[in-house]
Amino acid sequence: MAISKNKEVLRIATAGSVDDGKSTLIGRLLYETNSITTDKLLAIEESSRRKGLGYTDLSLLTDGLVAEREQGITIDVAHIYFSTPRRKFIIADTPGHVEYTRNMVTGASNADVSIVLVDARNGLAEQTHRHLYISHLLKVPRVIVCVNKMDLVDYSEARFNEVVEDFKALLDNETFENLTIDFIPVSSLHGENIANHNKQMSWHKGDHLLNILESIEVHPDSNNKPARFPVQLVIRPKSEDFHDYRGYAGKVASGVFSKGDTVRALPSGLTARIESIDQFEDSLEYAEATQSVTIRLDRDIDVSRGDMLVKDEALIGSKELVSNICWMDNTPLVNGKTYKLQHGINESRVKVSGINYRVETSNLIKDETATELNLNDVGQVTLRSSKPVLVDSYNKNRANGAFILIDEFTNNTVGVGFAG
């Protein structure tokens, strides 16, 4: 089969409790797609024999860190690449321990799909609730629940259905409205329902995992989002050939910009029409999300690095941000503390003016008496900014709705925020 030169990239985040089989699932995907070099496969086969295993331990493909080998756990986000004739994939393999919730947020922050593993023997665990909530918080468009280790429950349809019903009961919470979710019974160890259908689970009428991953539409509605173009650089060559050239370079964050569109520059509010859209030596009729281009306007208006071109009146910037925060630092977030907020290339100073609640992600209860957010906590916070922040609601526009908080003294990134 011919390999397409312009294959789409699907970004995947994997999640699950320790020993639910994430590493084995990823290793199996690499194996089934012929993404393992011969020498590496031989090394893994030899290592498995030395351990006295009766099978090839594919989890060794992703357990590359020394600490993982020593402790048998995954401690950091590992990015793994593989491809099929239809598309390319990037997997962010995130740790299973609750202590590394922040790592999952990092791994899932730009994922198109989240794979949540559940051990068929144990059913839903605390981490299942936590990972599903974070996938929802980050607005990951699609979730696939792999009920793993079906070989250890005799491929029981009844047991699979029990796990699915428990999951659906969890989804009844209004928090998870409109979530698109698939359930697949799999055995990562034996490669069943991963890249091929399994005869012992012929009762499962849905697709196997790889088929679903190959068919998911990437960024299905990104062009229908509000048009946002953060200006990263003002280009003025002042050369003989381009004496009057003035262009605004950047990457389209969301929506579509076309020649002739009237745009508004923020924060000035001045308007102009798009005269041309340049990409290298080409002139484009339009530019859509993720394209890096230079936009020229039909008249000179006040636009600088860090400003934003928009096509609607909805975005005005705000000094008060009510946002969900995932806290990533050992020093707690407390009321009254100040931080640097970075949104795109822009920075502003913000003060915590209220901690509205902390979410107990294992049961989704909101603790409105919380006075601080500790490491790995998720909660809603009100921030007051020194200047308007040009941020959209994360629920409506993922591409322009997130920011980070930075400690002013250590310069460490201490939190990830999602504007409400």
Side-chain angles (χ1 to χ4, degrees):
M1 185 181 296
I3 296 178
S4 167
K5 294 180 179 178
N6 299 305
K7 292 187 288 187
E8 286 182 317
V9 176
L10 185 77
R11 296 178 182 275
I12 304 166
T14 57
S17 295
V18 176
D19 294 332
D20 276 352
K22 292 196 309 301
S23 295
T24 304
L25 175 69
I26 294 169
R28 177 59 63 179
L29 283 169
L30 298 179
Y31 177 81
E32 297 290 350
T33 56
N34 298 316
S35 303
I36 309 171
T37 59
T38 302
D39 58 339
K40 185 174 283 188
L41 184 58
L42 289 173
I44 292 171
E45 289 173 345
E46 176 58 26
S47 179
S48 300
R49 273 194 295 273
R50 285 201 306 271
K51 290 181 174 182
L53 301 177
Y55 56 90
T56 301
D57 185 0
L58 294 173
S59 70
L60 296 174
L61 284 167
T62 55
D63 287 344
L65 299 175
V66 173
E68 291 173 342
R69 290 176 179 151
E70 291 175 346
Q71 301 175 39
I73 61 171
T74 306
I75 63 171
D76 206 348
V77 178
H79 288 89
I80 298 142
Y81 305 84
F82 70 99
S83 65
T84 68
R86 293 174 63 180
R87 75 172 12 154
K88 298 177 182 177
F89 302 88
I90 301 175
I91 297 179
D93 181 22
T94 57
H97 280 257
V98 62
E99 292 83 356
Y100 300 107
T101 298
R102 58 181 172 177
N103 304 57
M104 188 201 168
V105 172
T106 303
S109 58
N110 63 353
D112 302 299
V113 58
S114 178
I115 297 178
V116 177
L117 271 81
V118 178
D119 187 323
R121 298 168 301 173
N122 304 325
L124 274 61
E126 179 180 335
Q127 280 294 78
T128 312
H129 294 72
R130 184 182 299 273
H131 290 157
L132 185 63
Y133 179 78
I134 291 174
S135 293
H136 161 75
L137 181 69
L138 271 60
K139 300 300 172 192
V140 179
R142 185 87 169 255
V143 173
I144 300 173
V145 177
C146 286
V147 182
N148 194 24
K149 304 188 181 183
M150 288 298 295
D151 52 305
L152 299 182
V153 294
D154 296 326
Y155 304 101
S156 167
E157 181 181 9
R159 179 56 188 151
F160 172 73
N161 288 336
E162 284 178 1
V163 175
V164 171
E165 288 306 312
D166 288 346
F167 222 105
K168 287 182 176 177
L170 175 63
L171 295 173
D172 279 344
N173 188 297
E174 62 181 13
T175 301
F176 300 118
E177 284 182 348
N178 304 320
L179 184 64
T180 301
I181 192 163
D182 300 275
F183 297 93
I184 313 176
V186 303
S187 169
S188 300
L189 182 63
H190 300 294
E192 291 158 340
N193 281 347
I194 303 295
N196 297 288
H197 291 290
N198 175 255
K199 292 180 180 178
Q200 297 182 85
M201 292 186 280
S202 57
W203 43 263
H204 176 63
K205 304 304 179 186
D207 271 338
H208 58 68
L209 177 59
L210 197 57
N211 256 354
I212 293 177
L213 294 177
E214 286 187 319
S215 62
I216 290 174
E217 191 176 355
V218 178
H219 309 306
D221 60 349
S222 59
N223 288 349
N224 296 325
K225 298 293 184 183
R228 304 287 183 253
F229 183 80
V231 176
Q232 296 179 356
L233 184 66
V234 178
I235 298 178
R236 298 188 65 189
K238 296 182 179 178
S239 63
E240 282 296 322
D241 292 339
F242 299 97
H243 185 76
D244 295 322
Y245 190 99
R246 183 183 179 91
Y248 307 106
K251 184 166 77 174
V252 179
S254 59
V256 179
F257 290 87
S258 302
K259 286 171 65 174
D261 283 346
T262 297
V263 294
R264 187 163 57 97
L266 296 175
S268 71
L270 299 173
T271 60
R273 283 195 312 112
I274 294 178
E275 185 174 81
S276 71
I277 301 174
D278 303 330
Q279 189 175 56
F280 302 108
E281 296 180 351
D282 298 328
S283 179
L284 309 179
E285 290 299 314
Y286 66 91
E288 55 191 6
T290 74
Q291 278 189 288
S292 294
V293 296
T294 299
I295 291 178
R296 285 192 292 161
L297 304 178
D298 67 341
R299 66 190 185 95
D300 286 342
I301 59 175
D302 182 14
V303 180
S304 305
R305 171 178 160 83
D307 290 356
M308 184 176 289
L309 301 181
V310 302
K311 284 172 42 178
D312 58 78
E313 302 292 327
L315 187 63
I316 56 175
S318 174
K319 286 188 174 183
E320 182 173 285
L321 302 173
V322 178
S323 306
N324 289 312
I325 302 287
C326 178
W327 196 242
M328 309 171 78
D329 196 55
N330 288 313
T331 303
L333 175 149
V334 295
N335 206 2
K337 182 79 183 287
T338 58
Y339 301 95
K340 285 191 292 186
L341 181 151
Q342 183 160 345
H343 175 243
I345 64 170
N346 291 315
E347 279 190 2
S348 60
R349 196 161 184 260
V350 295
K351 180 178 180 180
V352 179
S353 61
I355 298 175
N356 304 328
Y357 56 78
R358 184 181 68 85
V359 178
E360 179 50 64
T361 51
S362 61
N363 54 25
L364 305 182
I365 291 176
K366 296 176 181 177
D367 178 8
E368 297 181 350
T369 67
T371 57
E372 60 184 29
L373 295 184
N374 292 294
L375 175 65
N376 292 315
D377 277 350
V378 177
Q380 190 190 78
V381 170
T382 301
L383 303 170
R384 290 288 302 174
S385 174
S386 58
K387 60 183 181 181
V389 182
L390 299 172
V391 65
D392 282 300
S393 163
Y394 189 81
N395 287 344
K396 296 180 179 176
N397 191 4
R398 198 178 173 197
N400 191 47
F403 57 84
I404 61 173
L405 294 177
I406 300 170
D407 187 289
E408 295 178 290
F409 301 102
T410 65
N411 220 30
N412 290 334
T413 299
V414 292
V416 178
F418 310 97

